[in-house]
Amino acid sequence: GVEPLAPATRPIVLGVAVYDWLPNREGFDWFVREVWPHVRRAVPNAELHLVGKLSDEALKRQWSQTPGVRCLGRVGDLRAAYQSALFTIAPLFGGGGTNIKVIESLAYGRCCVVTPSAAKGFEKMDGLHIASDANEFSSKCEELLRNVGSTGLAGGAAAHRAGQCFSF
């Protein structure tokens, strides 16, 4: 299994995905355009780290030019990316299958702000913050960023529960 990480203290939000997959690309593009500017206005030192494959160079440039957004691409140590993050996001509106990124986030002890589509099957899990629209999504992100201590505690509870329900 995954060993839960110590709580993070820096205002870093993490997105992990294969952005070449259309539902991921659309969901994260929505987040960068519609949600992230509100989060940054509320928490100006917040950073969004996007980890994973993104072949579309124009989109990568567009996202990277958004204040506070860093497109890190594929990383050698995913655990280190989670270690630096206060929490994660999964802004998905479609697609099928299991959202492994949600389970992985919780297992590492990171809360995850998700759309209802990304939460399917995990609705009762500790550490999930379900948001239906841009306002709700930004409010939940802002709350987690402003309350670092309680976000870390909630992440620990999420890791415990995820460890009871899932295994690698």
Side-chain angles (χ1 to χ4, degrees), residues 49-70:
H49 292 186
L50 298 175
V51 170
K53 184 179 179 195
L54 174 58
S55 300
D56 184 332
E57 290 297 326
L59 188 57
K60 189 183 301 183
R61 260 191 317 281
Q62 178 186 334
W63 288 356
S64 295
Q65 290 170 357
T66 304
V69 176
R70 294 181 60 205

Side-chain angles (χ1 to χ4, degrees), residues 13-64:
V13 179
L14 178 66
V16 177
V18 175
Y19 302 100
D20 290 351
W21 190 56
L22 186 60
N24 284 338
R25 187 169 56 249
E26 289 176 344
F28 279 90
D29 188 54
W30 169 82
F31 181 84
V32 170
R33 286 182 302 98
E34 303 294 329
V35 178
W36 187 246
H38 298 283
V39 173
R40 277 288 287 207
R41 272 195 292 285
V43 185
N45 63 334
E47 292 181 24
L48 174 61
H49 292 186
L50 298 175
V51 170
K53 184 179 179 195
L54 174 58
S55 300
D56 184 332
E57 290 297 326
L59 188 57
K60 189 183 301 183
R61 260 191 317 281
Q62 178 186 334
W63 288 356
S64 295

Side-chain angles (χ1 to χ4, degrees), residues 116 119-125 128 130:
K120 280 197 170 85
F122 309 125
E123 293 88 354
K124 304 278 190 241
M125 293 299 298
L128 276 191
I130 302 172

Side-chain angles (χ1 to χ4, degrees), residues 119-140:
K120 280 197 170 85
F122 309 125
E123 293 88 354
K124 304 278 190 241
M125 293 299 298
D126 293 338
L128 276 191
H129 298 265
I130 302 172
S132 298
D133 60 34
N135 287 333
E136 202 175 352
F137 216 104
S138 65
S139 292
K140 290 183 184 293

Side-chain angles (χ1 to χ4, degrees), residues 61-103:
R61 260 191 317 281
Q62 178 186 334
W63 288 356
S64 295
Q65 290 170 357
T66 304
V69 176
R70 294 181 60 205
C71 292
L72 302 175
R74 289 180 167 171
V75 296
D77 185 2
L78 193 54
R79 185 177 173 85
Y82 277 102
Q83 177 63 66
S84 69
L86 186 59
F87 64 94
T88 67
I89 57 168
L92 301 176
F93 295 97
T98 305
N99 288 312
I100 298 296
K101 67 179 89 22
V102 174
I103 299 169

